[in-house]
Amino acid sequence: MTQTIDQGRRTFIKASAAVGGGLLIGFYLPAASRLAEAAESPAPLRPNAWIRVGEDGKITVIVDKSEMGQGVMTALPMLVAEEMDAAWNQVRVETAPAAKAYINPLLGMQATGGSSSVRGSWEPLRKAGAAAREMLVAAAAQTWGVKADACRVANGEVSHPASGRRLGYGELTARAATLPVPNEVFLKDPQEFKLIGKPVPRLDTPQKVNGSAVFGLDVKVPGMLTATVVRCPVFGGKAASFDPKQAKRIRGVRHVLQIASGVAVVADGFWAAQQGAKALQVRWDEGAHAGLSSAGIRDKFATLAQRPGAVARSAGDAARALQGAARKIEAVYEVPYLAHATMEPMNCTAHVRKNGCEVWVPTQAQGRVQQTVAQVTGLPAESVTVHTTFLGGGFGRRFEQDFVAEAAQISKALGVPVKAVWTREDDMQHDFYRPATYNALSAGLDEKGLPVAWSHRIVGPSIMSRVFPNMVKNGIDPTSVEGAANLPYAIPNLQVEYTMHDPGVPVGFWRSVGSSQNAFITECFLDELAAAGGKDPFHLRRELLHAAPRHKAVLELAAAKAGWGKPLPKGLYRGIAVHESFTSFVAQVAEVSVSGEGEVKVHRVVCAVDCGMVVNPDTVRAQMESAIVYGLTAALKGEITVMGGRVQQSNFNDYPMLRMDEMPRVEVYIRPGADTPGGVGEPGTPPIAPAVANAIFAATGKRIRRLPIRAEDLKA
Amino acid sequence: MISLTVNGKQEQVAASPDTPLLWVLRDILGLTGTKFGCGIAACGACTVHLDGEPIRSCVTPVSAAAGRSVTTIEGLSGDSGHPLQQAWIAEQVPQCGYCQSGQIMAAAGLLAKNPAPSDADIDAAMSGIICRCGTYQRVRDAIHRAVKAKRGEV
């Protein structure tokens, strides 16, 4: 992890003539790194944004976050254009290269994740836009010999109302580029916003409806070969030996070579490479995990759950309160490993040369791409040029670097540009999975049916131990307990523990990370407490959220819009859940039916979200719809199982996805907020599984305590 | 050499007959709008039209397209002017966008046969196309919108 944080206290903005004329502004603005905060070091000063204004008046915003569907390629330019008072139809976007200037202030590296794009760019990008506007105004004032405050700006034009003169931004760039850059800028009062808060159409839509959008798999470089890699099916296994003869007989196959992750078959195109890979004969050394199975993993988790774990949160005395409670409730909740299954399989194109390397890659982490290629090639990281393509889905998977390392290794060995392409099977069986966890919960109710004690013990593997070990403190991986340790309910005695155990299945960030499982566990268990105490699940939550106003407000909004408590058509039942993640608050009510065969159908989902100030409300809606489908797919279908150290699922036939005919009607209600923007890409995922599971309880009286939801558990 | 018509243009391709049409389109003809998602006809990202019928190009050998006419997303309209493309923009359907060529080609196949599909018709025609971003609701709304646009109702 890049923890070398620049301690300099410079606040400087540099301006220079851009290539091809115009005004180029690079910013160095203060921004605190999450890691720096953790270390209690002073906030470093970080470059954040680039703006280019052409002499034609066109404004190019360089977007330093990866567009993977979440709408950053529109939301981030909106921030700049708002403060610049730019005409929106003059705004263009470019993706940023890998450079220190683009380090994400919330992640401490150039990366897109943790629903941090708008959160992290909210201030720096608006400051960037405001400074550009001030320079353009100053240039106009100078041209006319008037005071800057006698000028007005709107729609990419500066005017001087007293004299009726006007100049477009393009006409002002030459002079503006010679002016000093303001050290301080005024930002608009949100009430003055013209663009922020409006449902602006996405800038990337037109190219996504005619096939012209370029994803990683679509990259074409002259002289490029295509590679597929045959990997050991067992986690941690290696190729002991291989025979390339059969593979090389396939027409179009050029090379067969061993790399760190397996054996690469390199051909003129993908089909030949894949045929070669199928023909390749490899003898595997299966390594230490050849005996690993899902049943064995579960048994180990269950054993570990018998003893105390590291304490993630402790309030009052949960053990004592449990003993003294009028009623005690216990339950075990389990969630499986999950694959990301982005629609675009993993891929990377690399061209390693003597003095540098060019990489074309759908990545969520450009800085890590540079480091990975540098490690593989011995080249300096700065000599690695990263071209970020569109990402055919990310969900955390494209933060990883395995596919980058492969492309770099093969290109280095062959000296030509190489596109390394994963098949769906590769993608499914060599993922960094959402962790499986085992959860032992117990709670105590008083004689009025109110919870007085809550104890939650989590056992499972740790993502951070591999990715950012420095983030693991005192046995706690913050991602393992997020959404559990910060339980929002007013329960006086509370204990949340975590026992780390890594069975050998690689784990990684998966949309909403720890909240993806902990919301299910905590919101279902709370529902159990409501039922045990004879309380309505909505009313009990409301009562226990008196000190959590934003949770409470979205809960009430969702309940009101869903008509909570009002009669439903026969056979339909409601469940509710609320969860905070990435500083946004989401509540959902699911309307569900369960057939006699135990088949669950979700008919309607009402979603209420408070993500603070909204930049693009249509994107917020789209992300809620998206996150609900992602979470619902996992709840109804998602499970990666392991046998003999290998993943048993291989493709969409045995790792099924939610499809059109199973899509519920989703209604999204945005609670207007004045708070700083929260995350939007992930927070819609956590509440859907518990909302559905709680509705199933309402329908059947049966509790879902392990995912995915299984028809055989629900048969009448 | 196998000859076929792609987007109205006669093409001669040097590929073994068992090569899936998908890889001929993408790797030989450079038409990358058609996507690879699964390779087993389970996700629909590779949907193109063969003589007007939606097919999964990842499992269709190029030999099956010999002498026939293939339409890809690039050839659906010259200018994104197809009512579905316009409806897709109006409803702001795409997120990551990777599956959308397949979604639009499947929907175009549906509308060619059924100019006013019901929700059940849409389910039947579109459930073969997976979208991991979960744009299904907007896909449905966009199909309905395209139908209305054709009738001059929007």
Side-chain angles (χ1 to χ4, degrees), chain A residues 202 218 340 626 658-659 666, chain B residues 35 42 92 132-133 136-137:
Chain A
R202 294 174 59 133
D218 306 331
H340 295 82
S626 173
L658 195 88
R659 291 170 183 270
V666 175
Chain B
K35 301 303 183 196
Q92 291 285 292
R132 280 294 269 160
C133 299
Y136 300 123
Q137 177 159 301

Side-chain angles (χ1 to χ4, degrees), chain A residues 67-69 200-202 204-206 208-211 213 215 217-218 220 251 269-271 339-345 391-393 395 421-425 511 618 621-623 625-626 629-630 633 651-653 657-661 663-666, chain B residues 14-16 18-20 23 26-28 30 32-40 42-43 45 73-74 80 85 88-89 91-101 103-104 122-123 126-134 136-141 143:
Chain A
E67 180 57 72
M68 47 193 175
V200 174
R202 294 174 59 133
D204 57 346
T205 303
K208 288 178 174 177
V209 302
N210 65 15
F215 296 85
L217 270 186
D218 306 331
K220 199 143 208 178
R251 195 171 72 164
F270 174 79
W271 181 246
H340 295 82
T342 62
M343 282 313 297
E344 180 191 19
L391 283 63
F395 314 125
V421 178
W422 290 39
T423 63
R424 176 58 56 194
E425 289 79 6
R511 197 173 192 171
D618 192 54
R621 274 185 210 104
Q623 284 309 296
E625 292 160 11
S626 173
V629 173
Y630 205 76
T633 304
N651 205 319
F652 294 128
N653 58 331
M657 297 290 136
L658 195 88
R659 291 170 183 270
M660 174 67 91
D661 58 348
M663 178 71 197
R665 200 70 206 169
V666 175
Chain B
S16 61
D18 64 340
T19 308
W23 298 107
R26 290 183 54 86
D27 282 356
I28 299 177
T32 52
T34 306
K35 301 303 183 196
F36 167 57
C38 69
I40 59 165
C43 81
I73 185 72
E74 291 92 344
S80 299
Q85 288 169 311
W88 246 244
I89 292 169
E91 294 290 339
Q92 291 285 292
V93 175
Q95 290 187 25
C96 90
Y98 194 79
C99 73
Q100 297 299 337
S101 299
Q103 302 280 1
I104 292 171
I122 291 173
D123 283 349
M126 302 301 293
S127 289
I129 324 290
I130 295 172
C131 175
R132 280 294 269 160
C133 299
Y136 300 123
Q137 177 159 301
R138 290 179 187 229
V139 167
R140 183 188 303 281
D141 292 347
I143 293 172

Side-chain angles (χ1 to χ4, degrees), chain A residues 634-656:
Chain A
L636 296 176
K637 298 162 189 286
E639 184 177 33
I640 288 290
T641 56
V642 177
M643 182 63 84
R646 60 200 84 201
V647 166
Q648 292 180 287
Q649 292 70 29
S650 62
N651 205 319
F652 294 128
N653 58 331
D654 50 16
Y655 190 78

